[in-house]
Amino acid sequence: MTKSTKHAVSSQPESFEAASAELEKIVAAMEAGQMSLEDSLSAYQRGAELLQYCQNKLQGAQQQVRVLEAGLLKDFIGSDNNER
């Protein structure tokens, strides 16, 4: 796989930050209006994949925060009652 075909083949991003940076580059390139129709369609497809990846990562992080908050709130209330 060459660099020019990187977007044509779906690859998993290394991280949320990497996906977000790649998505920003795609948007900037598309907004510049210098891409061919075929390249634009490929970029749009890759952008949609990256967006889905980012949304999934964010949903996972939100779920983890909910679980952590629930545990912390229970522990905090329990320890607060013990101190009084």
Side-chain angles (χ1 to χ4, degrees):
M1 175 168 64
T2 64
K3 286 187 177 186
S4 62
T5 60
K6 185 177 179 182
H7 294 297
V9 177
S10 296
S11 62
Q12 191 76 356
E14 294 178 18
S15 65
F16 174 84
E17 292 77 13
S20 180
E22 185 179 347
L23 186 55
E24 287 179 20
K25 288 180 185 178
I26 290 171
V27 169
M30 292 181 78
E31 285 179 343
Q34 301 299 315
M35 298 174 80
S36 68
L37 178 60
E38 184 178 307
D39 288 342
S40 293
L41 289 172
S42 293
Y44 183 87
Q45 181 178 1
R46 178 64 177 164
E49 292 167 357
L50 291 167
L51 180 60
Q52 184 65 44
Y53 174 87
C54 289
Q55 288 174 335
N56 289 340
K57 286 291 189 179
L58 286 173
Q59 287 173 352
Q62 288 173 335
Q63 183 61 35
Q64 285 180 323
V65 168
R66 284 187 205 106
V67 168
L68 291 171
E69 284 180 341
L72 290 175
L73 291 175
K74 288 179 184 176
D75 291 341
F76 179 75
I77 292 170
S79 64
D80 198 26
N81 288 338
N82 291 336
E83 291 180 23
R84 290 183 184 176

